[in-house]
Amino acid sequence: MTDTVLHVGGASPYDVVIGRGLAERLPSVLGDSVQRVAFLYAAELSQLAEPVLDVLRPAYDVLALGLPSGEQAKTADVAFECWDALGDAGFTRSDAVVTFGGGATTDVGGFVAATWLRGVRVVHVPTTLLAMVDAAVGGKTGINTAAGKNLVGSFHEPAGVLVDLDTLLTLPREELVAGMGEVVKCGFIADPAILDLVEKDPAAATDPAGDVLPDLVERAIRVKIDVVVADLKETGGAEGHPGREVLNYGHTMAHAIERAEGYTMRHGEAVAIGCCYVAELARLEGHLDDATAARHAAAFRAVGLPTTYDGTAFEDLLAAMRVDKKARGNTLRFVVLDDIARPAVLAGPSEENLRSAYDVMRGEKP
C-alpha cells in the first residue's frame, strides 16, 4: 500500500504517516540536530523493536529503556527511573525520545519527554491498534495515581507519528479487538462510515492483513486530528460541541471500571462498556432514541467486545466517576449523543438514571 500522510496543524504541526515498514522514516522525522535518542519500548516487544533500533543505532547514541507491560508502566516510579536514566546519559534539549509500544508506553513515554528539561522532541511509533488511533495522536501524556487514571499529565505534541500497520500482523487477537473499542467510538461521535464498515463485515474490519482495517485506522485518526486541531487543550468547542472532550465518549465509566479492576481490563474493552452505559444514560435523559442506544451494543458486540459489566457496586463506580477530569466540583458531566455524530454534554444527570443505566450495564433489560 502507498503511505498516507495526515497533517496535524496548529501551533506545533506534525505529520501522521500510515503505511507498512516505516522504520526508515525515523531519522527524517527526528531531524538533523538530534544526537541522543531515548528509545522507550514495551519490554515484551524487544524482538519486534530490533529493526527500529537497527535504523537508529548507526545515526544516534541510543539509550534503550524497556518498560513494564500495559498500565503498570504508567506510574511515577517508572517515570522517575526514566528521568534518572536521561540524566545519567546527559540528555539535552536537542535530544529526543522515541516511544515504541501500545497506549501505555506512548502515554508514559510522552510524559517523560514532556517533563524532561520542560519538554524534548518525541516521536511515537505505536504498535497496537489502540495506540494508533488514540494515544499516539493529539499530544496527551500521562500517568496513573491511586486516585484514578491519567490524573497526572501534560499536553506535549509529538514531532511525528509513524503508524506501521505491519505491527498489527503480530498483535495478539485480543489486543486488536480491544483497539476496536476506540475505532467504533469514533464512528459514533463523528464518522458514521466507520459504523457502516464494521456492521457490514465485522471479520474484515478486524483482519490486519486485509483492506478494511487500514481504512478504519485512517478514518479514526482523521476524527482525532479534526478534534484536537480545533481544541488541543480541552477548552471547549464551538456552538455547543464538547470540543476535545468528545474523544472521552464512554470514558467516564470506562476509567471507573479500569480503576475498579486494578487496570487489568483492556482499555478498549472498558471503553466499549462505557459507551454502552452512556448511551443508555443519554436515552434515559431524553437525548438519544431507543434504536441508536441499542446500536451501540450491537456494533461493539459485532467485533467481539464486551458490552456489560457487573464486577463492582454502583456506589464504588459512582465515587470513581466523581474524580473524572470532566467533572466540575460535585457535578458529574458526561459526553452524550443527541444522534450519531451529534455530541453534547450532559451535566448533572439524576442519580436515578445513573443507577438505571448501571442496571442495564449489568445485563438487566431496560
Side-chain angles (χ1 to χ4, degrees):
M1 64 176 287
T2 303
D3 296 347
T4 299
V5 180
L6 305 180
H7 184 68
V8 184
S12 302
Y14 59 96
D15 290 333
V16 179
V17 183
I18 305 170
R20 298 186 183 276
L22 300 180
E24 297 292 338
R25 283 181 174 262
L26 259 176
S28 64
V29 179
L30 286 166
D32 297 332
S33 64
V34 174
Q35 295 182 350
R36 300 178 187 85
V37 170
F39 185 73
L40 274 57
Y41 68 101
E44 70 270 19
L45 301 181
S46 57
Q47 186 172 351
L48 193 63
E50 278 305 314
V52 183
L53 287 168
D54 287 343
V55 171
L56 291 174
R57 283 177 173 139
Y60 309 100
D61 180 6
V62 177
L63 173 67
L65 299 174
L67 304 181
S69 300
E71 295 294 321
Q72 301 306 311
K74 292 175 59 175
T75 68
D77 286 345
V78 170
F80 194 88
E81 290 172 4
C82 291
W83 293 324
D84 265 356
L86 295 183
D88 289 343
F91 266 65
T92 70
R93 279 188 172 147
S94 63
D95 297 320
V97 172
V98 172
T99 70
F100 184 85
T105 302
T106 304
D107 282 349
V108 71
F111 182 66
V112 168
T115 49
W116 182 252
L117 299 176
R118 297 187 177 92
V120 297
R121 196 172 183 84
V122 61
V123 177
H124 296 310
V125 185
T127 63
T128 67
L129 178 57
L130 180 71
M132 290 174 181
V133 302
D134 184 31
V137 180
K140 267 192 176 181
T141 74
I143 58 175
N144 305 329
T145 71
K149 186 172 181 177
N150 296 335
L151 296 181
V152 175
S154 62
F155 292 96
H156 187 61
E157 293 181 273
V161 179
L162 300 180
V163 175
D164 190 338
L165 297 170
D166 280 346
T167 61
L168 297 181
L169 296 172
T170 58
L171 188 67
R173 178 70 183 176
E174 59 272 19
E175 293 291 345
L176 189 143
V177 168
M180 290 298 295
E182 290 284 357
V183 174
V184 174
K185 177 207 75 176
C186 287
F188 280 110
I189 65 172
D191 184 358
I194 290 175
L195 300 179
D196 295 339
L197 287 167
V198 166
E199 292 165 339
K200 179 182 178 181
D201 192 342
T206 55
D207 179 4
D211 298 327
V212 177
L213 185 55
D215 187 14
L216 291 171
V217 169
E218 181 177 337
R219 286 181 174 276
I221 292 174
R222 285 187 186 276
V223 168
K224 184 153 192 182
I225 289 173
D226 289 345
V227 171
V228 300
V229 167
D231 181 25
L232 176 64
K233 296 188 177 181
E234 282 188 7
T235 56
E239 300 177 357
H241 191 282
R244 184 165 181 157
E245 282 187 337
V246 73
L247 297 172
N248 283 322
Y249 184 61
H251 284 52
T252 301
M253 175 57 81
H255 285 169
I257 292 172
E258 287 178 280
R259 180 184 172 189
E261 292 294 316
Y263 302 110
T264 57
M265 179 181 287
R266 294 179 180 88
H267 177 67
E269 295 172 345
V271 166
I273 297 166
C275 286
C276 294
Y277 172 83
V278 81
E280 175 62 16
L281 179 62
R283 187 187 74 83
L284 293 169
E285 290 278 335
H287 280 261
L288 199 59
D289 63 83
D290 294 356
T292 307
R295 190 179 183 185
H296 280 67
F300 286 111
R301 197 179 296 125
V303 294
L305 286 163
T307 58
T308 60
Y309 172 77
D310 65 354
T312 304
F314 171 75
E315 289 75 15
D316 293 334
L317 293 174
L318 182 61
M321 288 193 291
R322 292 197 185 281
V323 298
D324 180 78
K325 294 186 293 297
K326 291 183 296 300
R328 300 292 184 268
N330 292 322
T331 302
L332 274 175
R333 295 168 72 255
F334 293 84
V335 175
V336 296
L337 298 180
D338 290 330
D339 198 353
I340 292 173
R342 287 182 54 202
V345 172
L346 169 64
S350 72
E351 184 164 330
E352 178 184 0
N353 285 340
L354 287 166
R355 189 180 289 273
S356 295
Y358 165 82
D359 290 338
V360 172
M361 184 178 76
R362 293 178 61 210
E364 299 179 15
K365 292 186 177 181

